Amino acid sequence: MATGKVEICGLDTSRLPVLSQESMREMIEKAQAGDKDARRELIQGNLRLVLSVIQRFQNRGDNVDDLFQVGCIGLMKALDNFDLSLNVRPSTYCVPMIIGEIRRYLRDNNAIRVSRSLRDTAYRALRTRDELSCRYGREAGIGDIAREMDVPEEDVAAAMEAIQAPVSLSEPVYQDAGDAVYVMDQVKDERVSEDDWVRRLSIQNAMSRLGARERGIIERRFFQGRTQMEVASEIGISQAQVSRLEKTALAQMRRYI
């Protein structure tokens, strides 16, 4: 959301009312009893709450108006289902519900497809997490969610991970006064160790000191998998000469390595 933006979906956000917690509980009771005017006033008085939530998603590039509308749906669901017997502030209950609705919208519109069963498990986990967070007054962990759902922890973790939005390798994760640190800078290829990387550099450095013919023989023999006879045929010398040049080149490389 751009700095100073005061209109979303045609609303002048600077004129939105703010309700006290006491007023909210009174209006929720009336709205749940069927008072449409109270429900309308209740929703209008919490639109600033929706605005504060969608700011968490402002750097994703999604349309702010769309996020606001989806957030309003989450707000209405929260107000309709709020339990007045709970010793919880209405706004505390509404925030995770709004966030959950926005996250579901973003995941359903994700280009990466996830199986229906995995997505259903993830959505159940999100709803359970929101309920437990309100119940405990803290963020519920994977273990809490798994126990409440009676599902193995690894299944919950896999489902939650599957619906995470993809992150660009070029996305900055930290930026100080100097250069930014990007996601790609933090990614490690476990298949290649630091020793392998140093060894390759040493071999490349040693090969750069060879003559063109010796370097060509080493590349064909050890990087392309050719036999000495094949190399001899390609460069127009005898197999014995290839063998001699190969041994000399390897001995020279060993000295540098």
Side-chain angles (χ1 to χ4, degrees):
M1 182 166 45
T3 303
K5 179 178 176 65
V6 295
E7 287 198 6
I8 292 183
C9 296
L11 290 173
D12 184 349
T13 59
S14 64
R15 296 178 179 274
L16 292 176
V18 179
L19 297 177
S20 66
Q21 295 298 318
E22 293 75 14
S23 298
M24 282 184 62
R25 297 186 74 91
E26 292 176 6
M27 289 186 183
I28 289 174
E29 187 173 5
K30 293 179 180 179
Q32 291 181 351
D35 189 329
K36 294 183 178 180
D37 291 335
R39 186 174 187 271
R40 187 180 304 108
E41 187 176 350
L42 186 62
I43 293 170
Q44 193 78 9
N46 283 278
L47 293 181
R48 284 181 180 268
L49 187 63
V50 177
L51 288 175
S52 67
V53 171
I54 66 175
Q55 290 184 42
R56 305 184 185 191
F57 304 90
Q58 63 183 349
N59 295 323
R60 294 174 48 93
D62 297 283
N63 185 282
V64 178
D65 287 352
D66 291 344
L67 295 181
F68 180 72
Q69 293 181 57
V70 174
C72 288
I73 294 173
L75 171 66
M76 288 185 282
K77 288 182 178 179
L79 296 174
D80 290 343
N81 294 288
F82 182 72
D83 187 350
L84 289 166
S85 65
L86 294 175
N87 187 25
V88 177
R89 291 161 61 94
S91 58
T92 302
Y93 179 78
C94 290
V95 168
M97 295 289 285
I98 296 170
I99 293 174
E101 194 69 29
I102 293 174
R103 283 176 174 167
R104 279 189 287 275
Y105 165 77
L106 295 174
R107 285 160 188 155
D108 287 343
N109 287 274
N110 195 338
I112 298 177
R113 298 302 175 189
V114 179
S115 70
R116 180 63 180 270
S117 61
L118 200 61
R119 192 167 61 244
D120 288 347
T121 300
Y123 289 162
R124 281 182 57 210
L126 290 174
R127 287 196 299 271
T128 303
R129 184 186 64 184
D130 294 342
E131 292 169 1
L132 292 177
S133 297
C134 291
R135 187 189 306 171
Y136 299 148
R138 60 172 176 81
E139 184 75 15
I142 294 294
D144 299 325
I145 298 170
R147 283 190 294 273
E148 183 75 12
M149 293 174 59
D150 194 21
V151 173
E153 286 189 29
E154 54 270 24
D155 291 353
V156 174
M160 298 281 279
E161 183 177 352
I163 60 172
Q164 292 297 317
V167 178
S168 169
L169 290 174
S170 300
E171 182 172 328
V173 295
Y174 175 78
Q175 186 164 10
D176 202 347
D179 295 333
V181 176
Y182 299 95
V183 173
M184 68 176 67
D185 299 325
Q186 306 297 309
V187 176
K188 178 181 179 181
D189 188 350
E190 299 291 346
R191 297 170 298 178
V192 180
S193 68
E194 185 175 346
D195 290 341
D196 293 333
W197 180 70
V198 172
R199 190 178 300 113
R200 289 180 183 179
L201 286 179
S202 300
I203 292 173
Q204 291 173 2
N205 183 51
M207 286 185 63
S208 68
R209 299 172 182 270
L210 299 176
R213 186 164 64 170
E214 288 80 1
R215 186 165 58 250
I217 290 173
I218 296 297
E219 288 176 349
R220 287 179 172 87
R221 288 280 290 125
F222 299 101
F223 292 89
Q224 299 174 15
R226 310 286 178 83
T227 66
Q228 288 185 349
M229 289 296 294
E230 289 173 333
V231 175
S233 175
E234 288 179 9
I235 64 178
I237 61 176
S238 67
Q239 184 268 332
Q241 287 177 297
V242 170
S243 178
R244 186 172 63 253
L245 290 169
E246 178 185 312
K247 290 178 181 178
T248 302
L250 290 175
Q252 187 176 352
M253 289 177 64
R254 288 192 188 96
R255 288 199 297 272
Y256 291 117
I257 296 177

